[in-house]
Amino acid sequence: MLYERVKPYIQVSNACSWLSTLFSVLFNEPVLVVELSQKKAFIGTINGIADNFQLQLLLMSIPELGDTIDAGLTAVVNGTGPQDGEASVAGKWDMCNWPVLSASHKESGNSDSDHWIWSEGSPEDIELLEGRRVILLKEPSYQRGLYVQRSFSTLPASIHIEKWLSEDELNQWLEKMK
């Protein structure tokens, strides 16, 4: 894998840092996205997303999840518009890895931030459950601004929704996370 070859040089070279980001981009990566307050969830795939800032912005463009950014800003983050939207929007969620719902997390009394999906990270940092990266969307713990841009001007990014889950299907997934 090219990423592994570049990784040792990230701290030494800015070019290697950008290459490592590019080489860590996932394509056709299975995901499960759960919006906890609305009890809405879908399975699908993500493609071409360079960082979790971009991931949250793409999620914010899905109408069923609240559609909080307009078509012009969506074009910036999905690669069909300019690279920089010259705008900031308020982040809609804390994105969390699925162990935030586990009994061991609840018993430990640790903060939810121990399981945050950090915006500065990449989708490959998101934990897997049964072969899918699981993204839990929780009410934000504080207001944060997201600058609307994408890292690579010619890399299109997308979230493909295969199926919205029924209440029973969602509950089955949530049970696996306990």
Side-chain angles (χ1 to χ4, degrees), residues 39-135:
K39 297 212 180 300
K40 290 184 179 182
F42 68 84
I43 57 171
T45 56
I46 56 173
N47 293 285
I49 300 171
D51 57 51
N52 295 330
F53 286 111
Q54 186 180 25
L55 173 61
Q56 182 159 172
L57 289 165
L58 283 169
L59 288 167
M60 289 170 59
S61 72
I62 297 173
E64 293 85 352
L65 297 177
D67 196 18
T68 56
I69 64 172
D70 67 32
L73 297 180
T74 298
V76 171
V77 293
N78 72 16
T80 60
Q83 186 177 1
D84 189 330
E86 299 181 6
S88 287
V89 297
K92 186 170 181 176
W93 305 285
D94 286 346
M95 296 191 307
C96 296
N97 280 299
W98 67 267
V100 76
L101 299 179
S102 70
S104 62
H105 170 72
K106 291 176 183 174
E107 291 167 5
S108 70
N110 291 339
S111 168
D112 285 358
S113 66
D114 294 338
H115 295 289
W116 278 354
I117 297 169
W118 292 95
S119 296
E120 297 81 3
S122 71
E124 79 169 353
D125 300 329
I126 299 169
E127 293 187 38
L128 293 163
L129 179 63
E130 295 187 0
R132 290 190 179 276
R133 303 218 183 249
V134 177
I135 304 160

Side-chain angles (χ1 to χ4, degrees), residues 8 11 33 36 46 49 53 87 99 102 118 125 148 161 166-167 175:
Q11 300 300 322
V33 176
L36 292 166
I46 56 173
I49 300 171
F53 286 111
S102 70
W118 292 95
D125 300 329
V148 181
I161 299 171
S166 69
E167 184 178 338
E175 192 61 34

